[in-house]
Amino acid sequence: MAAPLTATAINCSLSSRGRKSSTDAMLAVLADHFKEQGVTVADPIRLAAHNIKWGVKSDEGEGDEWPQIRERILAADILIFGTPIWMGQASSVAKLVMERMDAFLSETDDKGRMPSYSKVAVAAIVGNEDGAHNVSSQIFQALNDVGWTIPAVAACYWVGEAMGSVDFKDLDHRPRKVTETAKMVAANAAHLARLLKKAPYPG
C-alpha cells in the first residue's frame, strides 16, 4: 500500500482578507486533483493575513509568525506554492517567503541536507497579464536552491487577456487545459513524493 502523503498550500496574494481570490481558486483546482491521488491537503495559508517579518532567518524575533508557518510547511510532503502575477513577476509576498527560506542553507543536518530535502514543490499561478513562465522560473529556481525537489510539469497556471477585466475565479467555465495540467501536476508530484518518502536523498 502506498504511503499516505500530505500537502500544505500557501496563498501569496497581496490581500490579507476579503472575498476569495483567483489564487485560492487555482489552489482549489490543484487540491481536488491531489486528493484524487490520495494526498491530504490542508486549507491554504493566506500569508498576508499573518505577521511575517522581512529577513532571511527562520525566526526574526518577537511577533514573527513565520516560525509556525515554516513548521506547517515542512511537516508536509508537498508544498503547493500559490501566487498571483504582478507586473510580470511573483508577488512581493511570494518573494518574502522565498527570502525567509534562504535560512535553510545554514540549517543542514549532519549529512548536509536542508530541512526541505526529499520534499516536493509545485506552483499555482494566476494573472491577467503574461508572465507565468517568468514567475515559475523565479519560484522553481529559488525553491530548488533551498532544497525543494521540482517534478516534471510542476506549474498549473492561467493568464487572461493583457489589461483584461476577467479573473480566473470569475470564469464561467474552467479551461480544459487547466484541468488537464492540474491533473498531471498532482499525479507527478504525488509519485515523486512517494518515491522520496520511501528513499530520501542520502546527503
Coordinates of all heavy atoms in Angstrom, one line a residue, residues 15-85:
S15 N -3.7 40.5 -0.8 CA -4.8 40.8 0.1 C -4.8 39.9 1.3 O -4.6 38.7 1.2 CB -6.1 40.7 -0.6 OG -7.2 40.9 0.3
S16 N -5.0 40.5 2.5 CA -5.0 39.7 3.7 C -6.4 39.1 4.0 O -6.5 38.1 4.8 CB -4.5 40.5 4.9 OG -5.4 41.6 5.1
R17 N -7.4 39.6 3.5 CA -8.8 39.2 3.8 C -9.7 39.5 2.7 O -9.3 40.1 1.7 CB -9.2 39.8 5.1 CG -9.3 41.3 5.1 CD -9.7 41.9 6.4 NE -8.7 41.5 7.5 CZ -7.6 42.3 7.7 NH1 -7.4 43.3 6.9 NH2 -6.8 41.9 8.6
G18 N -11.0 39.2 2.9 CA -12.0 39.6 1.9 C -12.4 38.4 1.1 O -12.2 37.2 1.4
R19 N -13.0 38.7 -0.1 CA -13.5 37.6 -0.9 C -12.4 36.7 -1.5 O -11.3 37.1 -1.6 CB -14.3 38.2 -2.1 CG -13.6 39.1 -3.0 CD -14.5 39.9 -3.9 NE -13.8 40.7 -4.9 CZ -13.9 40.4 -6.2 NH1 -14.6 39.5 -6.6 NH2 -13.2 41.2 -7.0
K20 N -12.9 35.5 -1.9 CA -11.9 34.5 -2.4 C -11.2 35.1 -3.6 O -11.7 35.7 -4.5 CB -12.8 33.3 -2.8 CG -11.9 32.1 -3.3 CD -12.8 30.9 -3.6 CE -12.0 29.7 -4.0 NZ -12.9 28.6 -4.3
S21 N -9.9 34.8 -3.6 CA -9.0 35.3 -4.7 C -8.9 34.2 -5.8 O -9.2 33.1 -5.6 CB -7.6 35.6 -4.1 OG -6.9 34.4 -3.8
S22 N -8.4 34.7 -6.9 CA -8.1 33.7 -8.0 C -7.0 32.7 -7.7 O -7.1 31.6 -8.1 CB -7.7 34.5 -9.3 OG -8.9 35.1 -9.9
T23 N -6.1 33.2 -6.8 CA -5.1 32.2 -6.3 C -5.7 31.1 -5.5 O -5.4 29.9 -5.6 CB -4.0 32.9 -5.5 OG1 -3.5 34.0 -6.3 CG2 -2.9 32.0 -5.1
D24 N -6.7 31.5 -4.7 CA -7.5 30.5 -3.9 C -8.2 29.5 -4.9 O -8.2 28.3 -4.6 CB -8.6 31.2 -3.1 CG -8.1 31.8 -1.8 OD1 -7.3 31.1 -1.1 OD2 -8.5 32.9 -1.5
A25 N -8.7 30.0 -6.0 CA -9.4 29.2 -6.9 C -8.5 28.2 -7.6 O -8.9 27.0 -7.8 CB -10.1 30.1 -8.0
M26 N -7.3 28.7 -8.0 CA -6.4 27.7 -8.6 C -5.8 26.7 -7.6 O -5.6 25.5 -7.9 CB -5.2 28.5 -9.2 CG -4.2 27.7 -10.0 SD -5.0 26.8 -11.4 CE -4.9 28.1 -12.6
L27 N -5.6 27.2 -6.4 CA -5.2 26.2 -5.3 C -6.2 25.1 -5.1 O -5.9 24.0 -4.9 CB -4.9 26.9 -4.0 CG -3.6 27.8 -4.0 CD1 -3.6 28.6 -2.7 CD2 -2.4 26.9 -4.0
A28 N -7.5 25.5 -5.2 CA -8.6 24.6 -5.0 C -8.6 23.6 -6.1 O -8.9 22.4 -5.9 CB -9.9 25.3 -4.9
V29 N -8.3 24.0 -7.4 CA -8.3 23.1 -8.5 C -7.2 22.0 -8.3 O -7.4 20.8 -8.4 CB -8.0 23.8 -9.8 CG1 -7.7 22.9 -11.0 CG2 -9.1 24.8 -10.2
L30 N -6.0 22.5 -7.9 CA -4.9 21.5 -7.6 C -5.3 20.6 -6.4 O -5.0 19.4 -6.4 CB -3.6 22.3 -7.3 CG -2.8 22.7 -8.6 CD1 -1.7 23.5 -8.2 CD2 -2.4 21.5 -9.3
A31 N -5.9 21.2 -5.4 CA -6.2 20.4 -4.2 C -7.1 19.2 -4.5 O -7.0 18.1 -4.1 CB -6.8 21.3 -3.1
D32 N -8.1 19.5 -5.4 CA -9.0 18.4 -5.8 C -8.3 17.3 -6.5 O -8.6 16.1 -6.2 CB -10.1 19.0 -6.8 CG -11.1 19.9 -6.1 OD1 -11.2 19.8 -4.9 OD2 -11.8 20.6 -6.8
H33 N -7.3 17.6 -7.4 CA -6.6 16.6 -8.1 C -5.6 15.9 -7.2 O -5.3 14.7 -7.3 CB -5.9 17.2 -9.3 CG -6.9 17.5 -10.4 ND1 -7.5 16.5 -11.2 CD2 -7.4 18.7 -10.8 CE1 -8.4 17.1 -12.0 NE2 -8.3 18.4 -11.8
F34 N -5.0 16.6 -6.2 CA -4.2 15.9 -5.2 C -5.0 14.9 -4.4 O -4.5 13.8 -4.1 CB -3.5 17.0 -4.3 CG -2.1 17.4 -4.9 CD1 -2.0 18.7 -5.3 CD2 -1.1 16.6 -4.9 CE1 -0.8 19.2 -5.8 CE2 0.2 17.0 -5.4 CZ 0.3 18.3 -5.8
K35 N -6.2 15.3 -4.0 CA -7.0 14.4 -3.2 C -7.3 13.1 -4.0 O -7.4 12.0 -3.4 CB -8.3 15.1 -2.8 CG -8.0 16.2 -1.7 CD -9.3 17.0 -1.5 CE -8.9 18.2 -0.6 NZ -10.1 19.1 -0.4
E36 N -7.4 13.2 -5.3 CA -7.6 12.1 -6.2 C -6.4 11.1 -6.1 O -6.5 9.9 -6.4 CB -7.9 12.5 -7.6 CG -9.3 13.2 -7.8 CD -9.5 13.6 -9.2 OE1 -8.5 13.5 -10.0 OE2 -10.5 14.2 -9.5
Q37 N -5.3 11.7 -5.8 CA -4.0 10.9 -5.7 C -3.8 10.4 -4.3 O -2.7 9.9 -4.0 CB -2.8 11.8 -6.2 CG -2.9 12.2 -7.6 CD -2.7 11.1 -8.6 OE1 -2.0 10.1 -8.3 NE2 -3.4 11.1 -9.7
G38 N -4.8 10.6 -3.4 CA -4.6 10.2 -2.0 C -3.8 11.1 -1.1 O -3.4 10.7 -0.1
V39 N -3.7 12.3 -1.6 CA -2.9 13.3 -0.8 C -3.9 14.1 0.1 O -4.8 14.7 -0.5 CB -2.1 14.2 -1.7 CG1 -1.3 15.2 -0.9 CG2 -1.1 13.4 -2.6
T40 N -3.6 14.2 1.3 CA -4.4 15.1 2.2 C -3.9 16.5 2.1 O -2.7 16.8 2.4 CB -4.3 14.6 3.7 OG1 -4.8 13.2 3.8 CG2 -5.1 15.5 4.6
V41 N -4.7 17.4 1.7 CA -4.3 18.8 1.5 C -5.0 19.7 2.6 O -6.2 19.8 2.7 CB -4.7 19.3 0.1 CG1 -4.2 20.8 -0.1 CG2 -4.2 18.4 -1.0
A42 N -4.1 20.4 3.3 CA -4.6 21.3 4.4 C -5.2 22.6 3.7 O -4.9 22.9 2.6 CB -3.5 21.7 5.3
D43 N -6.0 23.3 4.5 CA -6.6 24.6 4.0 C -5.4 25.5 3.7 O -4.4 25.5 4.5 CB -7.5 25.2 5.0 CG -8.8 24.5 5.2 OD1 -9.2 23.7 4.2 OD2 -9.4 24.6 6.2
P44 N -5.5 26.3 2.6 CA -4.4 27.2 2.3 C -4.1 28.2 3.4 O -5.0 28.7 4.1 CB -4.9 27.9 1.0 CG -5.9 27.0 0.4 CD -6.5 26.3 1.6
I45 N -2.8 28.5 3.5 CA -2.4 29.6 4.4 C -2.3 30.9 3.7 O -1.5 31.0 2.8 CB -1.0 29.2 5.0 CG1 -1.0 27.9 5.7 CG2 -0.6 30.3 6.0 CD1 0.4 27.3 6.1
R46 N -3.2 31.9 4.0 CA -3.2 33.2 3.4 C -2.1 34.0 4.1 O -2.3 34.5 5.2 CB -4.5 33.9 3.5 CG -4.6 35.3 2.9 CD -4.5 35.2 1.4 NE -5.7 34.7 0.8 CZ -6.7 35.5 0.3 NH1 -6.6 36.8 0.4 NH2 -7.8 35.0 -0.2
L47 N -0.9 34.1 3.5 CA 0.3 34.6 4.2 C 0.1 36.1 4.6 O 0.6 36.5 5.6 CB 1.5 34.4 3.3 CG 1.9 32.9 3.1 CD1 2.9 32.8 2.1 CD2 2.3 32.3 4.5
A48 N -0.6 36.9 3.7 CA -0.7 38.3 4.0 C -1.5 38.5 5.3 O -1.5 39.6 5.8 CB -1.4 39.0 2.8
A49 N -2.2 37.5 5.8 CA -3.0 37.6 7.0 C -2.2 37.4 8.2 O -2.7 37.5 9.4 CB -4.2 36.7 7.0
H50 N -0.9 37.1 8.0 CA 0.0 36.9 9.2 C 1.1 37.9 9.2 O 1.4 38.5 8.2 CB 0.6 35.5 9.0 CG -0.4 34.4 9.1 ND1 -0.8 33.8 10.3 CD2 -1.1 33.7 8.1 CE1 -1.7 32.8 10.0 NE2 -1.9 32.8 8.7
N51 N 1.6 38.0 10.4 CA 2.8 39.0 10.6 C 4.1 38.2 10.3 O 4.7 37.6 11.1 CB 2.8 39.5 12.0 CG 4.0 40.5 12.2 OD1 4.5 41.1 11.3 ND2 4.4 40.6 13.5
I52 N 4.5 38.3 9.0 CA 5.7 37.6 8.6 C 6.7 38.8 8.4 O 6.6 39.6 7.5 CB 5.5 36.8 7.3 CG1 4.5 35.7 7.6 CG2 6.8 36.2 6.9 CD1 4.1 34.9 6.3
K53 N 7.8 38.8 9.2 CA 8.7 39.9 9.1 C 9.7 39.6 7.9 O 10.0 38.5 7.5 CB 9.5 40.0 10.4 CG 8.7 40.4 11.6 CD 9.5 40.6 12.8 CE 8.6 41.1 13.9 NZ 9.4 41.5 15.1
W54 N 10.2 40.8 7.4 CA 11.2 40.7 6.3 C 12.5 40.2 6.9 O 12.9 40.5 8.0 CB 11.4 42.1 5.7 CG 10.2 42.6 5.0 CD1 9.3 43.5 5.5 CD2 9.7 42.2 3.7 NE1 8.2 43.7 4.6 CE2 8.4 42.9 3.5 CE3 10.1 41.3 2.7 CZ2 7.7 42.8 2.4 CZ3 9.3 41.2 1.6 CH2 8.2 41.9 1.4
G55 N 13.2 39.4 6.2 CA 14.5 38.9 6.6 C 14.9 37.6 6.0 O 14.2 37.1 5.1
V56 N 16.0 37.0 6.4 CA 16.5 35.8 5.8 C 16.8 34.7 6.9 O 17.5 33.8 6.6 CB 17.7 36.0 4.9 CG1 17.4 36.8 3.7 CG2 18.8 36.7 5.7
K57 N 16.2 34.9 8.0 CA 16.4 33.9 9.1 C 15.0 33.2 9.3 O 14.0 33.7 9.0 CB 16.8 34.6 10.4 CG 18.2 35.2 10.3 CD 18.7 35.7 11.7 CE 17.9 36.8 12.2 NZ 18.4 37.4 13.5
S58 N 15.1 32.0 10.0 CA 13.9 31.3 10.2 C 13.0 31.9 11.4 O 11.9 31.6 11.5 CB 14.2 29.8 10.6 OG 14.5 29.1 9.4
D59 N 13.7 32.7 12.2 CA 12.9 33.4 13.2 C 13.5 34.8 13.3 O 14.7 35.0 13.7 CB 13.1 32.7 14.6 CG 12.2 33.2 15.7 OD1 11.7 34.4 15.5 OD2 11.9 32.5 16.6
E60 N 12.7 35.8 13.0 CA 13.1 37.2 13.1 C 12.7 37.9 14.3 O 12.6 39.2 14.4 CB 12.6 38.0 11.8 CG 13.3 37.6 10.5 CD 14.8 38.0 10.4 OE1 15.2 38.8 11.3 OE2 15.5 37.5 9.5
G61 N 12.4 37.2 15.4 CA 12.2 37.8 16.7 C 10.7 38.0 17.0 O 9.8 37.4 16.4
E62 N 10.5 38.8 18.1 CA 9.2 38.9 18.7 C 8.1 39.3 17.6 O 8.3 40.2 16.8 CB 9.2 40.0 19.8 CG 8.0 40.2 20.5 CD 8.1 41.2 21.7 OE1 9.2 41.7 21.9 OE2 7.0 41.5 22.3
G63 N 7.0 38.6 17.7 CA 5.9 38.9 16.8 C 6.0 38.2 15.4 O 5.0 38.3 14.7
D64 N 7.1 37.6 15.1 CA 7.2 37.0 13.8 C 6.4 35.7 13.8 O 6.7 34.8 14.6 CB 8.7 36.7 13.5 CG 9.0 36.2 12.1 OD1 8.1 36.3 11.3 OD2 10.1 35.6 11.9
E65 N 5.5 35.6 12.8 CA 4.7 34.4 12.7 C 5.2 33.3 11.7 O 4.6 32.3 11.5 CB 3.2 34.7 12.4 CG 2.5 35.5 13.4 CD 1.1 35.8 13.1 OE1 0.4 34.9 12.6 OE2 0.7 37.0 13.3
W66 N 6.4 33.7 11.1 CA 6.9 32.7 10.1 C 7.3 31.4 10.7 O 7.1 30.3 10.1 CB 8.1 33.4 9.4 CG 8.8 32.4 8.5 CD1 10.1 31.9 8.7 CD2 8.3 31.8 7.3 NE1 10.4 31.0 7.7 CE2 9.4 30.9 6.8 CE3 7.1 31.9 6.6 CZ2 9.2 30.2 5.6 CZ3 7.0 31.2 5.4 CH2 8.0 30.3 5.0
P67 N 7.9 31.3 12.0 CA 8.3 30.0 12.5 C 7.2 29.0 12.5 O 7.4 27.8 12.2 CB 8.8 30.4 13.9 CG 9.3 31.8 13.8 CD 8.3 32.5 12.9
Q68 N 6.0 29.4 12.9 CA 4.9 28.5 12.9 C 4.4 28.1 11.5 O 4.1 26.9 11.3 CB 3.7 29.1 13.7 CG 3.9 29.4 15.1 CD 4.7 30.6 15.4 OE1 4.8 31.5 14.6 NE2 5.3 30.7 16.6
I69 N 4.5 29.0 10.6 CA 4.1 28.7 9.2 C 5.2 27.8 8.6 O 4.9 26.8 7.9 CB 4.0 30.0 8.4 CG1 2.7 30.8 8.9 CG2 3.8 29.7 6.9 CD1 2.6 32.2 8.4
R70 N 6.4 28.1 8.9 CA 7.6 27.2 8.4 C 7.4 25.8 8.9 O 7.6 24.9 8.1 CB 8.9 27.8 8.9 CG 10.1 27.0 8.7 CD 11.3 27.6 9.4 NE 12.5 26.8 9.2 CZ 12.8 25.7 9.9 NH1 12.0 25.2 10.8 NH2 14.0 25.1 9.6
E71 N 7.0 25.6 10.1 CA 6.8 24.3 10.7 C 5.7 23.6 10.0 O 5.8 22.4 9.7 CB 6.4 24.4 12.2 CG 6.3 23.1 12.9 CD 6.0 23.3 14.4 OE1 6.1 24.4 14.9 OE2 5.7 22.3 15.1
R72 N 4.6 24.3 9.6 CA 3.5 23.6 8.9 C 3.9 23.2 7.5 O 3.5 22.2 7.0 CB 2.3 24.6 8.9 CG 1.6 24.7 10.2 CD 0.6 25.9 10.2 NE -0.5 25.6 9.3 CZ -1.5 26.5 9.1 NH1 -1.5 27.7 9.7 NH2 -2.5 26.2 8.3
I73 N 4.7 24.1 6.9 CA 5.2 23.8 5.5 C 6.1 22.6 5.5 O 5.9 21.6 4.7 CB 5.9 25.0 4.9 CG1 4.9 26.1 4.6 CG2 6.7 24.6 3.7 CD1 5.6 27.4 4.3
L74 N 7.0 22.5 6.5 CA 8.0 21.4 6.5 C 7.4 20.1 7.0 O 8.0 19.1 6.9 CB 9.2 21.8 7.3 CG 10.1 22.9 6.6 CD1 11.2 23.4 7.6 CD2 10.6 22.4 5.3
A75 N 6.2 20.2 7.7 CA 5.6 19.0 8.2 C 5.0 18.2 7.1 O 4.7 17.0 7.2 CB 4.6 19.3 9.3
A76 N 4.7 18.8 5.9 CA 4.1 18.1 4.8 C 5.1 17.6 3.8 O 6.3 18.0 3.8 CB 3.2 19.1 4.1
D77 N 4.6 16.7 3.0 CA 5.5 16.1 1.9 C 5.6 16.9 0.7 O 6.6 16.9 0.0 CB 4.9 14.7 1.5 CG 4.8 13.8 2.7 OD1 5.9 13.4 3.3 OD2 3.7 13.4 3.1
I78 N 4.5 17.7 0.5 CA 4.4 18.5 -0.8 C 4.0 20.0 -0.4 O 3.2 20.2 0.4 CB 3.3 18.0 -1.7 CG1 3.7 16.5 -2.1 CG2 3.2 18.8 -2.9 CD1 2.6 15.7 -2.8
L79 N 4.7 20.9 -1.0 CA 4.3 22.3 -0.9 C 3.7 22.8 -2.2 O 4.2 22.6 -3.3 CB 5.6 23.2 -0.7 CG 5.4 24.7 -0.8 CD1 4.5 25.2 0.3 CD2 6.8 25.4 -0.7
I80 N 2.5 23.4 -2.1 CA 1.8 23.9 -3.2 C 1.9 25.5 -3.1 O 1.3 26.1 -2.2 CB 0.3 23.5 -3.3 CG1 0.1 22.0 -3.2 CG2 -0.4 24.1 -4.6 CD1 -1.3 21.5 -3.0
F81 N 2.7 26.0 -3.9 CA 3.1 27.5 -3.8 C 2.2 28.3 -4.7 O 2.4 28.3 -5.9 CB 4.6 27.6 -4.2 CG 5.2 28.9 -3.8 CD1 6.2 28.9 -2.8 CD2 4.8 30.1 -4.3 CE1 6.9 30.1 -2.5 CE2 5.4 31.3 -4.0 CZ 6.5 31.3 -3.0
G82 N 1.2 29.0 -4.2 CA 0.3 29.8 -5.0 C 0.6 31.3 -5.0 O 0.9 31.9 -3.9
T83 N 0.7 31.9 -6.2 CA 1.0 33.3 -6.2 C 0.2 33.9 -7.4 O 0.1 33.3 -8.5 CB 2.5 33.6 -6.4 OG1 2.7 35.0 -6.4 CG2 3.1 33.0 -7.6
P84 N -0.2 35.2 -7.3 CA -0.7 35.9 -8.5 C 0.5 36.5 -9.2 O 1.6 36.5 -8.7 CB -1.5 37.0 -7.9 CG -0.9 37.3 -6.5 CD -0.4 35.9 -6.1
I85 N 0.3 36.9 -10.4 CA 1.3 37.7 -11.2 C 1.0 39.1 -11.0 O -0.1 39.6 -11.2 CB 1.2 37.3 -12.7 CG1 1.4 35.8 -12.9 CG2 2.2 38.1 -13.5 CD1 1.0 35.3 -14.3

